[in-house]
Amino acid sequence: MRLCRAASRLTIVLLLASSLPGAASSQASAIDQRIDDLLSRMTLDEKVGQLVQYSDFSDDRAAAVREGRIGSLLNVTGAENSNRIQRIAIEETRLGIPLLFGLDVIHGYRTIFPIPLATASSWDPELVTTIEAIAAREARASGVHWTFAPMVDIARDPRWGRMIEGAGEDPYLGSVMAAARVRGFQGSDVASPDRIIACLKHYVAYGAPVGGRDYNSVDMSERSLREIYLPPFKAGVAAGAASIMSAFNLLNGVPTTANTFTINRVLRDEWGFDGFIVSDWNSVGELVDHGYAADGRHAARLALNATIDMDMMGGIYAGQLADLVRTNVIPERSLDESVRRVLRAKFMLGLFENPYVDPATEAAVILRDDHVAAARDAARKSMVLLKNDGALLPLSGDVGSIAVIGPLADNGQDLLGAWHALGRAEDVVTVLEGIRRRAAQTTTVTFARGSTVVGPDRDGFAEAVEVARNADVAIVVVGEREGETGEAASRVGLALPGVQQELIEAVHETGTPVVAVIMSGRPLAIPWLAEHVPAILQAWHPGIQGGNALADVLWGDANPSGKLTVSFPRSVGQVPIYYSRDVTGRPRSESKFTSKYLDSPNTPLYPFGHGLSYSTFEYGDLVLSADTIAPDGTLSVSATVTNTGRVAGAEVVQLYIRDLVASVVRPVKELKGFTKIFLEPGQRQTVRFTLGPSELGFYNQDMQRVVEPGTFAVWVSSSSDAGLESSFVVKGN
Ligand code: NOJ
């Protein structure tokens, strides 16, 4: 396995080199020469300035920029505005070093796409790359060079509000999505006028806070870290991500912003990451709040020692670093290394040559027609059909009357979702608008809000019941407000907020068939709906084209193809719940002393990988290329998938494995491959996957990555809870 590790490190180095402008190492060394030249002319204060980032541009900040005491600003947007501020750096500072403008471009800049958890549910990396490229184009045209995305934190606890920003619970899927998003933002040359640099965040394990409470501590084994939480970062680094953000949390007692194990050893030494690292918002200063640093001076020393190159908002580097160098506490070469990494990003972006952007380009690209069309496409492909009894959906074209009900039906703001950059409610096509546009002229569409999203207001129930009673079908749109998701938005409950479930119950009582559309940033626990409502569509927070995309799906103009990337719990008491669990010595059974709840099944309400289609797909012919392989060998796994339904549709074919007996017990299933295929009715396709050391290996008790001899089960399936099964043997040496 040693050899393999060395080989993968080599790959990373090669990929990083090829992500530099022009993919030529000669250019890289030309940049290094320019950096050397600049460094030789910079004062200590100017060097420190490159490592300082602030938000909230003001006259005071302008003065600091003029003196070379700020290297980067966040939340500066708009071509004219950013040019005005950049001009200060270029024309009024001693060395004319451009500013780096960063922004949270999380799911679009002005064209707002579905939240990342939703687009991950498309299981379509190309789609994800496409939308991030659009986000990059709009952002760069507005003067933004750097997004604080993708968030690649694995999240297995839906109480944690930031689950919306990631790809869900699985490290394999998370890694594929991380790389796809980095490629989308950065392309092959970040100096292009339509590209920005990516920032993998939050390094690391921020998605596993105790109790699901944001910013809370994390305690986990090195194995969990390496097998579950680190892989998406590693994949993002291999894809060429130019920057990484540290996190707020403690990891095993050590703050991630000063963690020399995860940063210096794993990220820098093992993976060879030579991009720059930014702290999270004041997370250098918070080393003091954590009780890890005695004061700001100590915090600055600890953070720089962990190669945190830029201090976001804290002002700690600004206040402390120069003196720490002057008094020889920090060697100047450590400071220089950090400055070098920040300057390299500015050179890679071409900011020294092209510091300004053209307002005409900005006007031309913002909300461009093809961007808006991509938002609709992404929203359609992100929705997950959880249940569809009696083929209630799709609606028939000549449905007589539709009651549109619910507090999220006539709502633009919340469909944007948290972290919507420059998104505006007025850009959003609401559900009611989308349905009205799509419904036939002969269809009557009525609307009743019914209730608010949060709060106990039942005043609208009677009207909702009335419109439902007079309709052929009721589409009830419920879920979460955007502000109930995202940062600092953890919840202890996972039920539909407020009285929304009661609203659905009241509508259901009328006997009119109900389609529940859930717009949320996390899985909600909806057992009552699962039992009583015939059709449930998980639409997430779908972005500016949410209403149109929903209408596309409701009428079958688009056949749903999303699959869950997080398990849906039956109740909050089950969390954290994830498919890739370990087996206990006492698996659930009828006998008393087994691992179970007295008041709930162990299983989720809807499993990872689940998602229905208006078509049906039949799996057959599972074939393995070998019964037995060597530990360093590979085998291929193929299966044939047939569209046995009446409409064309896409299916996500999933590959899972289990190492049945191992020196460290392996999870019951692990995703190791997937592919999304499109099939016409009656069409069949053979899908092929390869399994080899990187899929079959794990960390043994000595934390060596090994493939152990023994039997492996393998499944090819449409969800984590079903599938064709076979097995093969890895033979001993
Ligand atoms: C704090 C958040 O944790 C981080 O994700 C974000 O990028 C920064 N604030 C900047 O807005």
Side-chain angles (χ1 to χ4, degrees):
M1 289 314 294
R2 250 198 204 127
L3 245 177
C4 285
R5 270 221 209 148
S8 75
R9 215 170 301 152
L10 187 68
T11 319
I12 291 168
V13 172
L14 290 174
L15 282 166
L16 283 173
S18 71
S19 71
L20 290 171
S25 53
S26 63
Q27 254 169 305
S29 65
I31 286 179
D32 281 330
Q33 280 170 18
R34 293 176 72 182
I35 294 173
D36 287 341
D37 168 58
L38 259 182
L39 272 172
S40 71
R41 292 187 284 133
M42 290 168 85
T43 65
L44 186 54
D45 287 334
E46 285 165 343
K47 289 178 182 177
V48 171
Q50 288 304 306
L51 311 188
V52 172
Q53 184 190 49
Y54 284 116
S55 180
D56 314 317
F57 191 72
S58 62
D59 287 349
D60 283 354
R61 299 268 192 257
V65 169
R66 238 170 242 120
E67 290 161 14
R69 288 194 282 114
I70 293 182
S72 173
L73 288 165
L74 70 156
N75 300 328
V76 168
T77 58
E80 281 176 6
N81 187 39
S82 64
N83 284 346
R84 179 176 62 84
I85 298 170
Q86 188 69 290
R87 198 156 281 122
I88 302 174
I90 300 295
E91 294 178 5
E92 300 180 42
T93 64
R94 205 174 67 85
L95 295 170
I97 301 174
L99 289 163
L100 183 66
F101 294 127
L103 184 75
D104 291 283
V105 183
I106 306 296
H107 50 113
Y109 178 76
R110 174 75 186 270
T111 301
I112 298 302
F113 299 100
I115 54 170
L117 183 61
T119 49
S121 309
S122 71
W123 295 60
D124 186 341
E126 275 172 39
L127 172 98
V128 162
T129 298
T130 301
I131 62 174
E132 302 306 23
I134 291 172
R137 183 181 299 131
E138 292 191 356
R140 186 75 188 250
S142 290
V144 173
H145 313 126
W146 176 27
T147 177
F148 306 123
M151 186 194 95
V152 301
D153 294 309
I154 296 297
R156 297 181 158 188
D157 187 335
R159 292 173 298 184
W160 188 55
R162 300 200 78 170
M163 181 180 258
I164 76 144
E165 292 173 60
E169 71 184 45
D170 186 68
Y172 180 88
L173 183 83
S175 300
V176 173
M177 290 298 164
R181 292 192 197 275
V182 169
R183 283 196 299 273
F185 288 127
Q186 296 192 169
S188 57
D189 182 359
V190 294
S192 308
D194 56 356
R195 297 293 182 176
I196 56 180
I197 57 173
C199 182
L200 303 167
K201 72 185 189 185
H202 307 82
Y203 195 74
V204 56
Y206 177 52
V210 171
R213 177 159 52 81
D214 204 6
Y215 314 126
N216 206 2
S217 305
V218 177
D219 201 89
M220 70 168 58
S221 67
E222 185 180 340
R223 178 170 299 101
S224 295
L225 194 63
R226 287 190 184 271
E227 290 187 352
I228 302 163
Y229 292 86
L230 284 170
F233 286 94
K234 191 173 182 188
V237 167
S243 72
I244 290 188
M245 186 186 294
S246 70
F248 289 123
N249 56 290
L250 292 185
L251 175 61
N252 302 333
V254 179
T256 47
T257 292
N259 199 306
T260 51
F261 171 68
T262 54
I263 302 177
N264 307 49
R265 180 154 145 206
V266 176
L267 180 61
R268 297 287 193 199
D269 293 350
E270 291 182 23
W271 301 353
F273 177 68
D274 65 358
F276 73 102
I277 304 177
V278 63
S279 77
D280 202 343
W281 188 283
N282 192 35
S283 67
V284 176
E286 288 173 16
L287 297 176
V288 178
D289 302 88
H290 276 301
Y292 191 69
D295 50 25
R297 185 175 168 85
H298 189 196
R301 181 157 65 81
L302 290 167
L304 197 82
N305 184 41
T307 73
I308 301 291
D309 301 308
M310 189 180 283
D311 175 11
M312 181 192 285
M313 272 312 282
I316 304 290
Y317 279 8
Q320 305 294 337
L321 276 189
D323 194 58
L324 283 164
V325 172
R326 262 185 223 113
T327 52
N328 293 322
V329 177
I330 290 178
E332 185 154 4
R333 64 166 193 286
S334 301
L335 177 72
D336 286 356
E337 278 315 303
S338 286
V339 177
R340 184 179 290 279
R341 287 190 280 261
V342 170
L343 289 176
R344 187 176 296 130
K346 294 183 177 183
F347 277 111
M348 280 168 62
L349 281 157
L351 298 186
F352 287 84
E353 292 75 26
N354 296 303
Y356 306 116
V357 287
D358 177 4
T361 308
E362 176 186 44
V365 305
I366 293 290
L367 289 174
R368 215 166 74 178
D369 287 352
D370 58 324
H371 296 183
V372 174
R376 183 170 182 163
D377 186 47
R380 292 161 147 195
K381 290 176 175 162
S382 300
M383 294 182 188
V384 183
L385 184 61
L386 296 176
K387 180 179 177 188
N388 191 22
D389 279 4
L392 179 57
L393 292 176
L395 300 174
S396 94
D398 59 1
V399 55
S401 54
I402 302 173
V404 180
I405 296 169
L408 289 167
D410 189 23
N411 176 319
Q413 185 66 37
D414 291 313
L415 270 60
L416 290 170
W419 289 116
H420 53 252
L422 271 72
R424 297 184 191 171
E426 75 216 40
D427 299 336
V428 176
V429 178
T430 68
V431 171
L432 186 59
E433 283 164 358
I435 288 179
R436 285 208 165 118
R437 283 182 200 176
R438 176 59 181 80
Q441 283 192 339
T442 49
T443 302
T444 312
V445 177
T446 51
F447 167 67
R449 185 164 290 109
S451 73
T452 45
V453 179
V454 288
D457 184 3
R458 296 178 182 79
D459 291 353
F461 274 30
E463 187 195 5
V465 165
E466 183 61 22
V467 296
R469 197 169 276 135
N470 294 317
D472 295 325
V473 62
I475 314 243
V476 189
V477 191
V478 291
E480 296 180 293
R481 306 208 59 174
E482 57 158 352
E484 289 175 278
T485 73
E487 188 178 354
S490 293
R491 294 177 52 194
V492 293
L494 292 178
L496 279 166
V499 292
Q500 294 179 99
Q501 180 172 317
E502 280 181 50
L503 174 65
I504 302 181
E505 289 176 19
V507 172
H508 174 71
E509 278 280 293
T510 64
T512 300
V514 172
V515 176
V517 176
I518 301 178
M519 299 201 159
S520 65
R522 52 160 70 80
L524 296 176
I526 47 166
W528 187 91
L529 268 68
E531 196 180 334
H532 297 97
V533 170
I536 307 175
L537 186 63
Q538 177 66 36
W540 312 107
H541 285 145
I544 58 167
Q545 282 289 302
N548 282 336
L550 184 73
D552 293 338
V553 170
L554 290 176
W555 269 274
D557 304 336
N559 190 350
S561 61
K563 302 263 189 181
L564 297 179
T565 66
V566 276
S567 305
F568 268 48
R570 295 168 192 275
S571 74
V572 70
Q574 288 183 305
V575 304
I577 183 168
Y578 43 91
Y579 83 94
S580 189
R581 64 186 197 284
D582 299 324
V583 207
T584 69
R586 294 185 168 196
R588 186 179 185 116
S589 76
E590 287 316 306
S591 67
K592 182 166 167 52
F593 296 102
T594 61
S595 182
K596 64 173 180 248
Y597 298 105
L598 295 178
D599 51 356
S600 168
N602 289 1
T603 52
L605 188 61
Y606 296 109
F608 177 87
H610 169 75
L612 304 174
S613 159
Y614 297 149
S615 227
T616 44
F617 299 97
E618 205 176 279
Y619 284 62
D621 306 331
L622 179 60
V623 177
L624 274 53
S625 63
D627 299 331
T628 308
I629 58 167
D632 59 354
T634 59
L635 89 164
S636 80
V637 179
S638 66
T640 303
V641 183
T642 310
N643 181 347
T644 50
R646 282 201 296 266
V647 290
E651 167 72 339
V652 178
V653 184
Q654 302 159 41
L655 174 80
Y656 296 90
I657 63 154
R658 177 176 175 188
D659 184 344
L660 297 185
V661 178
S663 62
V664 173
V665 172
R666 304 307 301 153
V668 288
K669 269 186 188 178
E670 293 178 272
L671 182 75
K672 293 296 176 184
F674 66 87
T675 180
K676 192 165 186 173
I677 57 174
F678 182 84
L679 296 174
E680 297 292 340
Q683 195 184 352
R684 72 173 49 199
Q685 188 175 324
T686 299
V687 170
R688 198 162 270 109
F689 301 99
T690 303
L691 288 173
S694 48
E695 288 78 26
L696 305 178
F698 65 92
Y699 288 92
N700 69 10
Q701 293 185 29
D702 300 324
M703 292 308 294
Q704 300 294 320
R705 227 181 130 73
V706 292
V707 176
E708 284 186 349
T711 305
F712 285 72
V714 54
W715 295 263
V716 175
S717 57
S718 65
S719 156
S720 65
D721 75 341
L724 300 174
E725 182 176 350
S726 186
S727 65
F728 62 93
V729 171
V730 172
K731 61 175 191 282
N733 280 319

